[in-house]
Amino acid sequence: MPRNNTVTLVPYRDDILAVAASQIMAHASALPDLTNTVVLLPDLQFAPRLRRHLLDAAIAQGHAALLGPEISTIDQWLCDHTPLDQVIPGRARRELMLVEVLRQHPTVFNGGDPWLISNSLISLFDELTLNRVSIPGDLEAFTRQLQAAYGIDDRLPEPLGVEASMVHRLWKAWQCQLNDEHMLDPGIACLQRLAMQQAAITDGVFYLVGFDQLHAAQVEWIDSLLQAGHAACILYRHTHWLDSSVMPPVRALLQQGQPDTTDNPGSACLDAVFQVGEQSPAERAGTFRQAYPDSPLSAHIALLPASSPEQEARAIDLQVRQWLLDGKQSIAIVTEDRRLARRVRALLDRAGIALQDSGGWALSTTSAAAVLERWLETIEEDFAHQPLLDVLKSPFVFPDGDREQHVNNVYRLEQDIIQRENIASGIQRYRSQIELRLQRLKTSWAEETAAQLQQLLTRLEQAAAPLRHCLGTARCRPVILLEQLRKSLDAMGIWTSFGNDPAGLRILQEWQLLTDAAQHSSIDMSWTEFRAWLGSALERHDFVPATSDSPVMLLTLRQSQLGQYDAVVIGACDREHLPASSAKSPFFNDPVRTDLGLPVWSERYAEQLLRFRRLLESAPRVLMTWCQEDAGELHMPSPWLEAIRTFHELAWHDDLTDNELKALLEHPATRVAGSNDLPLPQQQPYPQPALPAALLPATLSVSMHRQ
């Protein structure tokens, strides 16, 4: 059981999961039994690699297998081991409840969109609860608290007074709403679970590995475990120049360990790059070059500025293929730009290289969500031809029919009615034009085609009927709107097709979550509000496709935080994506949030910088790319990349550009050639008329020549 050195700080270049496995095995008292051990990770995607390290350590000690340990996240472990009797509303139900609260106080949000305000309030209330920020019972006390935070001696200015009144009234109304419906706020539920576990500390051993983001209540619980000798924290090292910016709860844990005093030249160089102090970058670079005449980064980090998004994607594709040919077994592509990620995935797929995509993409961008969106647009725009044709050409539509016949009908509708007859919308206009065309071109073929097109329009009209009466200004309960949506999709065959598609299944799950939330709400909404509610649910959730085991992983910066790789590509290193900007809360500025004990931008920035800094040492070879121009718009490199490049150029007169890779991009042999079994077309001579000699006249007069 760990009692001494309970907080271990690991250098960035070391594999923290291997260190954790080593500690777990060293402190185990009854190997191979680890059932009394709990390992908590920030993300369960790292669990398989931790298990491999544990098994390797067990085999080294003569054990072929292990019993345990339990590996989970903090929230999941608390839910599994501390059940609560009260109902805890999910995100969709909380949105409906908060909109209902906002409608009961129309003067508070002054005509603002209650759906947008509800999303911001959910985030604010969670932050207030989990960071133990107490809201006074009366408005005057809360106003005085904000006056002190804003540094205002007199009464708050009107805009700030309105903000204070809004937050205070809505906070109280939200708490009353929860009490009236006998429900428990998720934040309060988390606090209760933590308190119950803190009061019931057992003989179990907890290992908390790799956390860099914790709220105040979680740190209190961890501290209680550490004090009782029932836990050990294994975290990445901290650097003194970032201590003041790291989130206070995490800082409190880091300060219990000994900072890393590394003498690794590469680590020291990267520390010097990002160090903030009295010395200028040029002075730091000069000092470092005196200590290290040869660059410790030139064989470690390479930079590639691309002239276009396509060139950047091709550079990543080419570098990954080169590394695979060199025998590298673990390659990470880390980027916050989902468009770049999808293009790289397509290029690697063309080369026959599968990806482990842990990031996925927004559910709203999948083909399944696209056909749903276009079908709703078709109904809203009176069967406008563009969304209508997109729907009819989708493989999700009418899966039970003859596909070849359906494709032919859609072709005739598009070519004969929409394009030739110039009919852009309107189900009745389509019908009328089919009849007029039949009268002009009355043949057996035309009659059969007209009948099939009319049947197709009838099916469309019947499928749209459940939703058409919901359009306009009429208000309905969301549970009715969701049920009508299901009926419409079922009539189109889309509902059945969704059940056979991974992304479609995720949409059906979201529909069920929204329906469960709506069944307990008496609120009504317009069609526009329903569309916004449904759209935000699809936008908020990610779709992660099932992928086979592959040496190439596609990750975000957060997902790479505990990884250890043979090589890393960091893509889209521009100001837009690195660091990634986070949505700002409309309530309270950063000084006030600091005074209240809420996270602020500087802490989020430092959190991303620490993850980036650690990623630079997660592999012996790192390539950083960015696009200099896109559609005529210049893109500036990330300030972090610029800091590395500038420091290295000042110290060793080298900007780290990978000129060899840049040259290879222009070589035709580096492109993946597609394969096609069809024979190439034969070369044809230039066509020319032939004039047989027998047709030539014996004599040719001047007048005949002129003709």
Side-chain angles (χ1 to χ4, degrees):
M1 183 177 296
R3 295 187 180 277
N4 299 318
N5 301 322
T6 53
V7 177
T8 302
L9 300 183
V10 180
Y12 291 138
R13 64 184 178 278
D14 291 351
D15 188 345
I16 196 171
L17 296 181
V19 173
S22 176
Q23 283 203 17
I24 292 170
M25 298 299 290
H27 291 100
S29 57
L31 285 176
D33 187 0
L34 291 177
T35 54
N36 204 30
T37 301
V38 178
V39 184
L40 300 179
L41 301 174
D43 194 316
L44 285 182
Q45 68 162 322
F46 306 112
R49 195 157 61 86
L50 175 61
R51 290 192 180 97
R52 285 197 296 271
H53 283 304
L54 287 169
L55 187 57
D56 289 343
I59 292 174
Q61 296 187 34
H63 302 285
L66 290 172
L67 295 174
E70 181 181 359
I71 302 176
S72 186
T73 63
I74 293 179
D75 290 339
Q76 186 61 52
W77 187 86
L78 289 171
C79 290
D80 293 342
H81 293 268
T82 318
L84 298 174
D85 295 333
Q86 290 175 277
V87 176
I88 302 171
R91 177 84 185 198
R93 191 167 179 183
R94 294 170 77 190
E95 284 181 345
L96 293 177
M97 293 173 64
L98 271 172
V99 168
E100 189 172 354
V101 169
L102 288 167
R103 286 182 177 176
Q104 294 170 1
H105 300 81
T107 58
V108 174
F109 60 93
N110 195 24
D113 186 347
W115 296 95
L116 292 177
I117 295 175
S118 69
N119 281 320
S120 299
L121 284 173
I122 287 174
S123 300
L124 176 65
F125 290 169
D126 284 345
E127 287 182 329
L128 291 170
T129 301
L130 296 175
N131 289 285
R132 298 195 182 281
V133 178
S134 60
I135 300 293
D138 62 282
L139 180 59
E140 290 185 5
F142 185 55
T143 302
R144 288 194 298 271
Q145 185 178 355
L146 292 183
Q147 281 177 330
Y150 279 109
I152 299 174
D153 296 330
D154 200 358
R155 62 189 298 271
L156 286 175
E158 184 176 351
L160 302 182
V162 171
E163 179 185 62
S165 175
M166 175 190 293
V167 172
H168 190 267
R169 288 182 61 184
L170 293 177
W171 172 266
K172 290 185 65 177
W174 169 243
Q175 299 301 322
C176 291
Q177 180 89 344
L178 290 170
N179 291 332
D180 292 343
E181 299 193 25
H182 306 289
M183 288 192 294
L184 196 61
D185 181 86
I188 298 295
C190 180
L191 294 183
Q192 287 191 7
R193 288 189 170 110
L194 288 169
M196 292 168 66
Q197 285 296 328
Q198 189 171 346
I201 295 178
T202 61
D203 292 333
V205 181
F206 292 82
Y207 289 88
L208 296 104
V209 182
F211 286 92
D212 61 3
Q213 186 181 35
L214 295 165
H215 55 72
Q218 290 174 331
V219 172
E220 290 177 8
W221 175 62
I222 294 171
D223 274 336
S224 67
L225 292 174
L226 293 174
Q227 294 299 323
H230 288 282
C233 285
I234 304 169
L235 310 174
Y236 278 116
R237 73 180 181 115
H238 64 101
T239 50
H240 64 279
W241 45 269
L242 270 176
D243 274 358
S244 60
S245 299
V246 176
M247 296 181 68
V250 180
R251 191 190 314 155
L253 280 178
L254 291 173
Q255 290 173 349
Q256 296 183 41
Q258 293 297 320
D260 176 40
T261 55
T262 180
D263 57 356
N264 179 272
S267 299
C269 183
L270 289 171
D271 281 345
V273 168
F274 296 107
Q275 184 175 357
V276 178
E278 296 180 356
Q279 282 190 318
S280 67
E283 291 172 335
R284 295 199 307 272
T287 302
F288 202 86
R289 182 173 183 176
Q290 290 179 357
Y292 299 96
D294 296 325
S295 167
L297 297 183
S298 58
H300 175 203
I301 296 176
L303 311 180
L304 185 82
S307 59
S308 67
E310 179 63 20
Q311 188 185 55
E312 182 180 13
R314 286 187 53 242
I316 297 174
D317 163 57
L318 177 57
Q319 183 64 86
V320 168
R321 288 189 282 118
Q322 281 187 313
W323 282 338
L324 288 173
L325 291 174
D326 291 341
K328 298 190 184 301
Q329 300 296 315
S330 177
I331 301 171
I333 304 172
V334 181
T335 181
E336 300 294 329
D337 185 352
R338 293 309 305 173
R339 186 178 70 168
L340 174 64
R342 296 186 76 165
R343 181 57 183 146
V344 170
R345 182 189 184 104
L347 291 174
L348 290 172
D349 280 345
R350 187 176 67 179
I353 300 171
L355 283 177
Q356 293 185 55
D357 190 348
S358 300
W361 50 84
L363 187 57
S364 60
T365 63
T366 61
S367 58
V371 71
L372 169 60
E373 175 67 21
R374 295 302 267 172
W375 174 236
L376 296 180
E377 289 177 2
T378 299
I379 299 172
E380 293 166 345
E381 299 173 15
D382 192 21
F383 294 89
H385 70 284
Q386 290 180 338
L388 174 61
L389 290 175
D390 287 345
V391 170
L392 291 176
K393 293 176 182 179
S394 169
F396 291 98
V397 174
F398 303 139
D400 55 337
D402 185 337
R403 192 64 193 172
E404 184 177 352
Q405 184 62 55
H406 172 75
V407 170
N408 182 66
N409 291 338
V410 174
Y411 178 80
R412 295 267 63 91
L413 176 66
E414 180 179 11
Q415 297 294 320
D416 298 344
I417 307 303
I418 294 174
Q419 293 187 6
R420 293 183 184 177
E421 304 297 342
N422 197 25
I423 305 300
S425 64
I427 197 84
Q428 294 305 323
R429 295 183 65 203
Y430 294 139
R431 288 188 182 279
S432 300
Q433 200 59 47
I434 291 171
E435 294 300 324
L436 291 174
R437 186 174 179 81
L438 179 61
Q439 293 175 10
R440 293 201 317 268
L441 306 171
K442 194 169 183 61
T443 64
S444 59
W445 174 86
E447 289 180 356
E448 181 181 359
T449 302
Q452 291 171 349
L453 292 181
Q454 293 286 13
Q455 183 180 4
L456 175 62
L457 294 177
T458 299
R459 292 192 69 178
L460 291 171
E461 201 168 18
Q462 292 173 347
L467 288 176
R468 297 194 76 174
H469 74 276
C470 301
L471 304 181
T473 58
R475 306 186 71 84
C476 300
R477 290 184 59 201
V479 67
I480 296 175
L481 291 168
L482 287 165
E483 181 58 29
Q484 297 301 95
L485 174 63
R486 187 198 64 78
K487 290 180 180 179
S488 179
L489 296 178
D490 196 24
M492 289 289 291
I494 297 175
W495 191 266
T496 302
S497 298
F498 278 179
N500 300 316
D501 179 78
L505 283 172
R506 285 289 293 116
I507 293 176
L508 297 185
Q509 292 171 5
E510 290 305 315
W511 179 91
Q512 188 60 55
L513 290 173
L514 294 179
T515 301
D516 293 342
Q519 287 176 344
H520 300 90
S521 175
S522 59
I523 196 174
D524 58 14
M525 59 177 65
S526 66
W527 176 255
T528 303
E529 291 173 328
F530 171 71
R531 291 280 274 116
W533 186 51
L534 176 64
S536 66
L538 298 182
E539 185 68 32
R540 187 167 56 243
H541 294 86
D542 290 336
F543 169 68
V544 180
T547 54
S548 58
D549 192 22
S550 168
V552 185
M553 291 156 280
L554 193 56
L555 307 164
T556 63
L557 185 60
R558 181 187 63 81
Q559 293 166 339
S560 67
Q561 60 183 320
L562 301 188
Q564 200 72 19
Y565 315 102
D566 293 338
V568 169
V569 177
I570 309 176
C573 296
D574 53 52
R575 291 183 182 270
E576 180 182 355
H577 298 98
L578 195 69
S581 58
S582 58
K584 292 186 177 180
S585 172
F587 304 104
F588 310 136
N589 59 24
D590 277 0
V592 174
R593 291 175 64 86
T594 300
D595 190 79
L596 293 174
L598 299 178
V600 295
W601 165 241
S602 62
E603 295 168 357
R604 301 296 188 196
Y605 178 89
E607 178 184 287
Q608 291 190 67
L609 178 53
L610 286 171
R611 289 175 178 174
F612 173 76
R613 172 67 185 83
R614 189 266 149 184
L615 181 62
L616 293 176
E617 292 196 67
S618 65
R621 186 64 177 168
V622 176
L623 172 68
M624 301 172 64
T625 69
W626 80 98
C627 174
Q628 295 177 303
E629 184 178 347
D630 184 8
E633 181 181 353
L634 294 177
H635 286 189
M636 298 299 294
S638 164
W640 300 341
L641 180 146
E642 191 64 37
I644 296 172
R645 182 169 67 172
T646 301
F647 185 93
H648 200 271
E649 193 165 16
L650 288 171
W652 296 284
H653 309 292
D654 175 21
D655 63 1
L656 292 173
T657 298
D658 192 336
N659 293 310
E660 182 181 352
L661 179 62
K662 201 169 186 178
L664 285 174
L665 285 173
E666 306 301 326
H667 200 290
T670 62
R671 298 173 180 263
V672 176
S675 60
N676 192 330
D677 296 334
L678 296 176
L680 293 174
Q682 297 297 319
Q683 184 176 3
Q684 298 293 330
Y686 188 81
Q688 58 183 356
L691 182 60
L695 297 179
L696 292 174
T699 60
L700 190 64
S701 66
V702 174
S703 59
M704 289 176 64
H705 181 271
R706 287 177 179 174
Q707 292 177 359

